[in-house]
């Protein structure tokens, strides 16, 4: 017999559901504990005191059992709402370094942005569902974070 069996005899299937959203934000790559020269050496033009912006694309993936009644890993409308709360409201059209308290003492790299989004979503989503955050900073720069 194919697949794993639940006690009820219904096949248990695992699915991955991804929702994609886009937001715009600016930031400056700068570590306050380093000198301007050290920051320029590490971050180059991205340490410009006036900052720079990105049109980010974020992919949020949840993983779980496909419910045999609803046919869903989770309700997509709920996922959209959680992303609105965790990503769009706090980050869209914001200066990450000045408008998001988390980045006051954390360098606003895409890696740290992925961690921020992960932690925010972890507070909102049902336990055990969050699988992956993927951030496209540019067409060529992509970060993946899985809570590790």
């Amino acid at each position: 017999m194919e697949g794993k069996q639940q006690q009820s005899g219904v096949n248990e299937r695992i699915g991955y559901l991804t929702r994609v959203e886009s937001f715009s934000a600016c930031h400056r790559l700068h570590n306050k504990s380093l000198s301007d020269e050290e920051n320029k050496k590490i971050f180059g033009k991205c340490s410009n005191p006036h900052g720079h912006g990105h049109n980010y694309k974020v992919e949020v993936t949840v993983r779980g059992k496909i419910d045999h009644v609803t046919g869903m890993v989770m309700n997509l409308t709920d996922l959209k709402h959680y992303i609105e709360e965790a990503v769009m409201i706090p980050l869209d059209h914001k200066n990450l370094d000045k408008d998001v308290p988390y980045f006051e003492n954390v360098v606003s790299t895409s890696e740290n942005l992925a961690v921020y989004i992960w932690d925010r979503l972890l507070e909102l989503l049902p336990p055990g569902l969050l699988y992956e955050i993927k951030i496209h900073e540019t067409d060529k720069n992509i970060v993946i974070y899985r809570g590790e």
Side-chain angles (χ1 to χ4, degrees):
M1 188 169 263
E2 291 182 32
K4 297 179 182 178
Q5 292 288 316
Q6 292 179 349
Q7 288 184 347
S8 64
V10 177
N11 282 341
E12 179 182 295
R13 305 289 183 162
I14 301 296
Y16 296 78
L17 174 65
T18 301
R19 172 85 182 173
V20 180
E21 291 288 349
S22 297
F23 67 94
S24 297
C26 68
H27 69 141
R28 176 186 183 200
L29 294 182
H30 182 84
N31 186 321
K32 292 178 184 177
S33 69
L34 301 175
S35 69
D36 287 342
E37 295 78 29
E38 290 172 306
N39 274 294
K40 184 150 181 84
K41 183 178 179 182
I42 294 168
F43 301 115
K45 66 181 181 179
C46 295
S47 189
N48 172 358
H50 302 290
H52 63 281
H54 295 283
N55 293 316
Y56 293 95
K57 182 171 78 169
V58 61
E59 299 179 29
V60 176
T61 301
V62 294
R63 175 192 182 277
K65 295 177 185 175
I66 300 172
D67 186 274
H68 71 279
V69 174
T70 66
M72 296 185 283
V73 171
M74 76 173 295
N75 188 308
L76 194 53
T77 302
D78 293 341
L79 182 57
K80 180 181 176 184
H81 171 75
Y82 295 139
I83 293 170
E84 180 72 17
E85 289 293 316
V87 178
M88 303 307 290
I89 292 172
L91 302 176
D92 192 29
H93 288 83
K94 299 293 192 313
N95 180 320
L96 299 179
D97 305 312
K98 296 178 181 179
D99 298 328
V100 183
Y102 178 86
F103 291 108
E104 184 175 328
N105 294 305
V106 174
V107 181
S108 56
T109 61
S110 291
E111 294 91 335
N112 284 331
L113 184 58
V115 169
Y116 169 83
I117 292 169
W118 176 277
D119 290 348
R120 292 282 313 239
L121 282 168
L122 213 52
E123 296 172 2
L124 300 171
L125 284 164
L129 278 181
L130 188 55
Y131 176 73
E132 179 179 273
I133 302 298
K134 183 183 285 187
I135 296 178
H136 300 251
E137 181 184 66
T138 68
D139 290 340
K140 296 181 180 182
N141 299 335
I142 301 166
V143 168
I144 295 173
Y145 183 69
R146 293 186 180 147
E148 302 167 336

